[in-house]
Amino acid sequence: MSQQRVAAGISDREAEVLTLVGEHRSNAEIGAELFISVRTVETHVSSLLRKVGVPDRRALAARAAKLARAERTSETMVVLPSPLTSFVGRAQERTALREAVAAHRHVTALGPGGVGKTRLALAVAADLAGDFADGVWFVDLVPVTDPGMVGSAVASALGLGEQQGRSLDDSVLTALADRQVLLVLDNCEHLLDGAVPFIERLLARCARVTVLATSRARLMVPFEQVYAVPPLSLDGDTAGADAIALFLERAAALGWPVDPGQLDRVSEVCQRLDGLALAIELAAARLPTLGLDGLTASLADPLRLLVGGRRADERHQSVRAMLDWSQALLTTSDRCLLRRISVLVSPFTAADAAEVAGYPPLEPNAVADGLARLAEQSLLTPVASSGGIRYRALETIRQYETEQLIANSELRDMLARHLRWCSTTAAALAAEPPPASGDWRKRFEAAVDDIRAALTWAAEQPEHRGDAHDLALALAQLTFTRNLVGESQQRYEQAASLTDDPVVAASALRNAAVVAGCRMRGEDMYRLYRVAADSARSAGDSARAARDLATAAITVYRMADTFSQSPPPGEAATLLSEARELAGEDPAAQAAVALAECGVLVHAVDSDHGVPEAITLAERAVDLACRTGDPLAHSAALDALTAAQCWAGDPFVTAATTRRRVELLAAVPMTPASALERVNALSEAAETCIGAGDLAGARRWGEQLRDLPLLAERGDFATSRLLVADALAGRVDNVLAGSGRFLDAWELSGRLHAPNLATAAAAVALVHGLRDDDAARVEWLAIVDELGVTPEHKSAYSALFDAIVLLHQGQADRALAKLSAEPDEMDEQAIWVWRHWYLALRAEAAVLAGHPDAPDYLATARTVVAGNPIADAIVDRARALLDNDPAGILATAAVFETACCPYQQARTLTLIGGDSATAGTAVGIDPA
């Protein structure tokens, strides 16, 4: 898109962002790929909207795709590894497999290790790239040791993160639900228990996804089409046989071309190796040192007979013979090194290998040279990475070397050493906060599969249960930091199962419960706190059990929206009663019980006595929590007080309480528990500031909410409060850019019902209404309804936003009709944030419509909105309009400017008319 990009003034970084937008990547995905913050991505998107001249994210994605098509023959995203060597021959196999993939939704390329399945699959995937509109993606399953992590590996390859309220597997299935994708799953045979159910769900839910798997065993799933990958051809013209062509190409690449007169001898070598690609590559790598004479002599039949009975499949015998032969040609130290590094499942650095394998008889400083020699013999493959050269062994070689470790009685010692290395690596990562540059993330990704593998092994070894427990805790922390919150919860629960100490188990279970809350899994959070209480009781810690039971009880109310099915009626009250009995005089337990009472007791009282009772209980909970010195308990109690104050209808006191809560949490280190509190606190703080007319505060807290790492994959919720604040202020560019992230995340979640997001969608519709873009407004209003909000809950802001648009269009009569309902007759939860805005704009609509009751509307509004700078100014402006007082109208413009509301400032100037109207147009959207 170079010429058009330069013409539009688009920078190189913006071009990268534009390309990824065109691939329908979310802002979180773009930020992760380019190692920039989500906020920086939003800034680039906002700039691109202006430069490209399109109204919203969807139009920008369409334009990006169009520009990309002008420069590329392929319209798809092709994410395949780049082999270091050329692909040789296999024309017939390539055609046959390509036709099979084109005709079937699931094809398994089947064959023994070393036959060349992966290389053939990569070649076919590249051939078919143009047939899959949404991309071709490669997933390397070799480093994955846990069958339950197949979905995680696919998500990592796709650049997807976990969506709150659903598992990572479900996030993948949702993201691919309507995409036309070819997914290459390489080396499935050791993960059949995980790969099979994942592929079944994938094909069932994603009708346009095709899977090309490679495996040594059939997957035995419905609709599987098997293509048996044959050895390289040995028949026909000698020079044209694929096996011989591969040998000649690899030999030439080493600087040892074979004389045409020696082709018969090359053919003899390839025949003895049964045309196995891996065996031929290993043999060719030895040509410079042995020559054809040495190769022929070394591959004599007696050597093969030594190992012929160790595999039923003749092709496996050939590979095993070749590997035995390769081993025999290595020095003792290099054989030892190759055995030892086979425990590393992911590509590794020389330093990693030195730590794991560098002990007698190997010297650590000799490991790097040994790796280079093994790479020269094609026993290791160098892998380029941003951190330098890494090495990896083909899975066939790793399995062979593992057998060598067993034969030499070294396996357990090496796995224990690998475990220690993983524990040290995990501890170092956990001790270091991840920098914004993305370096921490790269190091995490490089180590995590080894850590998982070590944990899987250690968990099955009785003598290493303690190490496994510690590693599970470290991995839980790391995966939470990396936003793999589903795995984080799993690892905390695993840690609890790996200890016999009930106190330690209870601690892990509490962490698991909090992470479940971060995932918006109310049932899990409730269950885990109850199990933690059982562990605490078994340890004789009644006070801690009381806290856990009380926390479980309040979870039913604090996290009510995250339960797919609420606990039976009365169950929370029963838990509260048990907690009271166990609490004793413990201050923390008493504080937890008091907080639970805010939910259980208030829920049980009638509405006439509900408000004073709720405030009394909440103030007591705050007092008790404050005495404990625990900021998280204090925050939770302030949340209860906020709810009671909202119920009382006092936006100023409520806003002050939420501000206290945010400021309290600002100094708390980031943990799962503090992250959960912070999300809730910032969300409520932004919302209450809007109710009090503090748009600057709402924007400040909304920005902090948007930038929370926990919400990197939940752009819809992350931007929800900021979108409302910016829409009311009239910051159009911000809303258009933020709405793209909102829409991306919501669609990636499967367009979930989320009533708490409906206000944000309505705010985006408001901005499109102010821009006179009726089509976009209708689209966003449809999103409001699809989010599942009830008519009662949207009654206030829906009427208010409609009225703002109608007043903007000069239709005061219709605006007044929208605001005809009396606030006191509305649901308090629906009106409380909007009461001041509602009454102030109703008064203005009545004045502009010439309604006879306009003075009464003004008087009512004046009484209620006092202290709200924006609502006060709207009422003052309406009073001045009624009195035909231009100076009074103009005076409100400065108030709106101070209150960070440029739209109302511009509207004021436009209402005055004349030169002021021109100035109003310059400030914001041109109001009618």
Side-chain angles (χ1 to χ4, degrees):
M1 75 189 66
S2 56
Q3 292 181 349
Q4 298 179 61
R5 173 170 72 81
V6 172
I10 296 174
S11 68
D12 290 341
R13 176 62 88 185
E14 287 173 338
E16 292 177 317
V17 172
L18 181 60
T19 298
L20 295 172
V21 168
E23 293 160 5
H24 305 288
R25 309 286 287 279
S26 71
N27 284 2
E29 294 168 9
I30 295 172
E33 179 153 335
L34 300 181
F35 298 111
I36 56 179
S37 70
V38 171
R39 185 173 182 179
T40 300
V41 176
E42 289 178 351
T43 300
H44 287 312
V45 170
S46 180
S47 174
L48 286 166
L49 289 171
R50 293 192 301 272
K51 292 179 178 181
V52 179
V54 292
D56 53 36
R57 175 69 167 253
R58 283 186 171 181
L60 185 64
R63 182 67 60 86
K66 182 177 179 181
L67 292 173
R69 283 195 294 271
E71 289 199 351
R72 299 183 305 178
T73 57
S74 170
E75 300 177 15
T76 60
M77 180 70 172
V78 182
V79 184
L80 300 173
S82 299
L84 298 177
T85 55
S86 61
F87 184 77
V88 177
R90 290 204 183 274
Q92 293 182 356
E93 296 95 322
R94 194 167 179 171
T95 299
L97 183 56
R98 184 168 60 241
E99 290 175 350
V101 174
H104 303 278
R105 292 192 58 216
H106 173 208
V107 177
T108 298
L110 187 70
V115 78
K117 301 183 296 296
T118 298
R119 292 298 299 270
L120 179 60
L122 286 171
V124 168
D127 291 344
L128 291 170
D131 296 341
F132 291 87
D134 295 305
V136 177
W137 305 81
F138 179 84
V139 184
D140 182 8
L141 295 178
V142 169
V144 181
T145 55
D146 182 351
M149 299 301 295
V150 171
S152 177
V154 175
S156 179
L158 294 173
L160 297 175
E162 183 176 335
Q163 297 288 315
Q164 283 178 316
R166 61 171 75 242
S167 69
L168 195 53
D169 282 17
D170 283 340
S171 295
V172 171
L173 300 182
T174 300
L176 297 179
D178 60 353
R179 296 190 183 184
Q180 186 183 18
V181 165
L182 173 61
L183 202 60
V184 182
L185 301 179
D186 191 39
N187 284 283
C188 295
E189 62 276 348
H190 66 299
L191 297 167
L192 293 181
D193 290 344
V196 167
F198 177 82
I199 292 173
E200 286 191 81
R201 292 195 302 271
L202 179 70
L203 296 179
R205 287 182 49 180
C206 306
R208 303 175 69 207
V209 170
T210 296
V211 172
L212 171 56
T214 73
S215 179
R216 301 183 188 190
R218 292 188 60 176
L219 274 61
M220 305 298 290
V221 297
F223 313 117
E224 179 186 26
Q225 181 74 18
V226 173
Y227 176 79
V229 179
L232 293 166
S233 65
L234 292 160
D235 301 329
D237 177 68
T238 300
D242 287 346
I244 296 171
L246 176 63
F247 186 98
L248 295 177
E249 198 277 340
R250 297 298 187 257
L254 292 170
W256 287 84
V258 176
D259 186 275
Q262 295 183 307
L263 290 183
D264 287 343
R265 302 184 68 185
V266 172
S267 177
E268 181 183 355
V269 170
C270 294
Q271 291 278 357
R272 289 183 174 181
L273 296 175
D274 292 329
L276 269 291
L278 173 60
I280 291 170
E281 297 224 18
L282 292 173
R286 284 293 182 177
L287 184 62
T289 56
L290 296 179
L292 280 173
D293 290 339
L295 281 175
T296 304
S298 297
L299 292 174
D301 286 340
L303 176 63
R304 298 182 62 198
L305 291 175
L306 291 175
V307 293
R310 296 170 69 179
R311 274 288 188 273
D313 189 313
E314 291 182 359
R315 294 173 189 165
H316 274 119
Q317 293 174 17
S318 298
V319 173
R320 179 175 296 280
M322 189 64 218
L323 290 172
D324 277 342
W325 172 78
S326 296
Q327 286 269 323
L329 296 175
L330 294 175
T331 65
T332 301
S333 61
D334 284 354
R335 282 201 302 273
C336 179
L337 176 60
L338 188 57
R339 285 198 308 273
R340 290 178 176 182
I341 60 176
S342 67
V343 298
L344 294 163
V345 300
S346 294
F348 53 88
T349 66
D352 296 334
E355 289 190 43
V356 173
Y359 64 96
L362 292 181
E363 293 295 329
N365 57 9
V367 168
D369 288 341
L371 295 175
R373 288 191 295 271
L374 293 172
E376 289 171 359
Q377 305 305 322
S378 296
L379 291 165
L380 292 180
T381 301
V383 180
S385 72
S386 58
I389 294 296
R390 289 180 174 269
Y391 297 89
R392 75 173 308 166
L394 293 178
E395 182 63 6
T396 300
I397 294 175
R398 279 193 65 245
Q399 292 178 352
Y400 175 90
E401 295 302 331
T402 299
E403 293 179 1
Q404 300 305 304
L405 285 174
I406 294 172
N408 285 275
S409 301
E410 294 176 322
L411 181 61
R412 290 184 65 84
D413 288 343
M414 279 309 305
L415 289 175
R417 191 172 181 91
H418 179 248
L419 171 64
R420 289 194 295 274
W421 175 74
C422 288
S423 298
T424 300
T425 302
L429 285 167
E432 178 187 352
S437 67
D439 180 64
W440 182 92
R441 175 171 171 165
K442 286 186 287 186
R443 286 186 288 112
F444 168 83
E445 300 291 356
V448 66
D449 283 320
D450 274 289
I451 295 171
R452 288 166 177 154
L455 175 56
T456 299
W457 175 76
E460 297 174 352
Q461 311 302 316
E463 68 273 26
H464 286 295
R465 274 175 59 87
D467 296 325
H469 166 79
D470 294 343
L471 188 56
L473 284 180
L475 185 55
Q477 179 183 340
L478 294 175
T479 49
F480 183 85
T481 301
R482 177 58 184 81
N483 254 4
L484 300 173
V485 286
E487 184 177 357
S488 179
Q489 178 185 331
Q490 172 196 343
R491 299 304 179 185
Y492 277 123
E493 292 192 59
Q494 184 180 19
S497 72
L498 288 169
T499 178
D500 297 324
D501 186 336
V503 174
V504 175
S507 175
L509 289 166
R510 288 179 204 110
N511 280 319
V514 174
V515 175
C518 293
R519 300 178 66 207
M520 302 300 169
R521 295 292 188 98
E523 292 101 325
D524 279 359
M525 190 176 186
Y526 178 71
R527 168 183 62 83
L528 288 163
Y529 269 119
R530 295 189 66 178
V531 178
D534 291 341
S535 290
R537 271 195 278 205
S538 69
D541 190 346
S542 298
R544 184 68 255 198
R547 292 171 63 184
D548 292 333
L549 289 171
T551 306
I554 195 60
T555 296
V556 175
Y557 301 98
R558 289 193 77 196
M559 305 290 290
D561 292 342
T562 68
F563 281 78
S564 59
Q565 184 174 358
S566 298
E571 192 168 273
T574 300
L575 295 180
L576 174 59
S577 178
E578 292 180 41
R580 281 200 195 98
E581 292 177 5
L582 295 169
E585 300 299 318
D586 183 82
Q590 290 180 343
V593 168
L595 178 59
E597 289 173 343
C598 293
V600 176
L601 299 184
V602 169
H603 186 76
V605 300
D606 60 74
S607 58
D608 291 337
H609 300 91
V611 172
E613 173 114 11
I615 291 178
T616 298
L617 288 172
E619 288 176 340
R620 177 172 179 269
V622 170
D623 180 58
L624 289 172
C626 189
R627 294 181 192 177
T628 67
D630 180 356
L632 298 183
H634 192 181
S635 170
L638 288 173
D639 182 35
L641 181 58
T642 298
Q645 290 167 341
C646 289
W647 196 358
D650 189 336
F652 305 115
V653 172
T654 304
T657 300
T658 58
R659 185 169 60 251
R660 282 173 59 196
R661 190 177 171 208
V662 169
E663 291 169 351
L664 172 70
L665 292 169
V668 178
M670 186 60 69
T671 64
S674 65
L676 179 59
E677 285 294 323
R678 196 163 293 171
V679 167
N680 181 265
L682 288 170
S683 175
E684 287 188 354
E687 192 171 33
T688 57
C689 281
I690 288 170
D694 179 10
L695 290 185
R699 184 157 222 290
R700 180 169 63 255
W701 306 134
E703 286 178 334
Q704 291 187 27
L705 182 71
R706 176 198 62 190
D707 296 336
L708 285 177
L710 180 61
L711 299 180
E713 306 296 342
R714 277 304 308 270
D716 45 4
F717 185 81
T719 60
S720 58
R721 302 308 187 254
L722 190 56
L723 284 171
V724 176
D726 280 340
L728 290 171
R731 302 182 189 279
V732 176
D733 288 346
N734 291 344
V735 173
L736 295 179
S739 67
R741 182 182 174 194
F742 179 100
L743 192 59
D744 280 350
W746 181 60
E747 290 184 334
L748 195 61
S749 75
R751 302 173 78 92
L752 287 173
H753 280 200
N756 62 327
L757 302 180
T759 310
V764 178
L766 162 63
V767 166
H768 285 299
L770 297 178
R771 299 176 70 244
D772 295 323
D773 188 343
D774 292 336
R777 183 170 184 243
V778 168
E779 182 179 353
W780 278 92
L781 289 175
I783 291 173
V784 172
D785 292 334
E786 196 172 344
L787 284 163
V789 64
T790 64
E792 293 78 14
H793 283 166
K794 72 173 183 177
S795 58
Y797 65 77
S798 179
L800 177 68
F801 292 174
D802 285 348
I804 291 174
V805 172
L806 290 167
L807 287 170
H808 176 83
Q809 296 170 345
Q811 302 182 60
D813 287 334
R814 292 183 60 197
L816 182 59
K818 289 285 184 181
L819 301 171
S820 60
E822 286 298 326
D824 289 342
E825 297 174 1
M826 294 182 180
D827 186 308
E828 185 59 43
Q829 290 184 350
I831 190 60
W832 83 267
V833 170
W834 305 107
R835 187 184 299 272
H836 291 184
W837 294 83
Y838 189 98
L839 291 173
L841 286 167
R842 184 174 71 170
E844 178 168 293
V847 169
L848 292 172
H851 195 280
D853 293 336
D856 293 336
Y857 286 134
L858 280 167
T860 299
R862 175 75 67 198
T863 301
V864 175
V865 308
N868 182 318
I870 296 175
D872 265 338
I874 292 173
V875 173
D876 287 342
R877 184 174 65 195
R879 180 78 255 181
L881 285 167
L882 183 65
D883 296 341
N884 193 25
D885 177 9
I889 298 172
L890 183 59
T892 64
V895 178
F896 288 123
E897 182 178 15
T898 301
C900 300
C901 191
Y903 172 72
Q904 292 297 343
Q905 178 189 1
R907 177 167 167 75
T908 298
L909 297 174
T910 305
L911 285 169
I912 295 172
D915 293 340
S916 294
T918 303
T921 302
V923 170
I925 302 172
D926 183 13

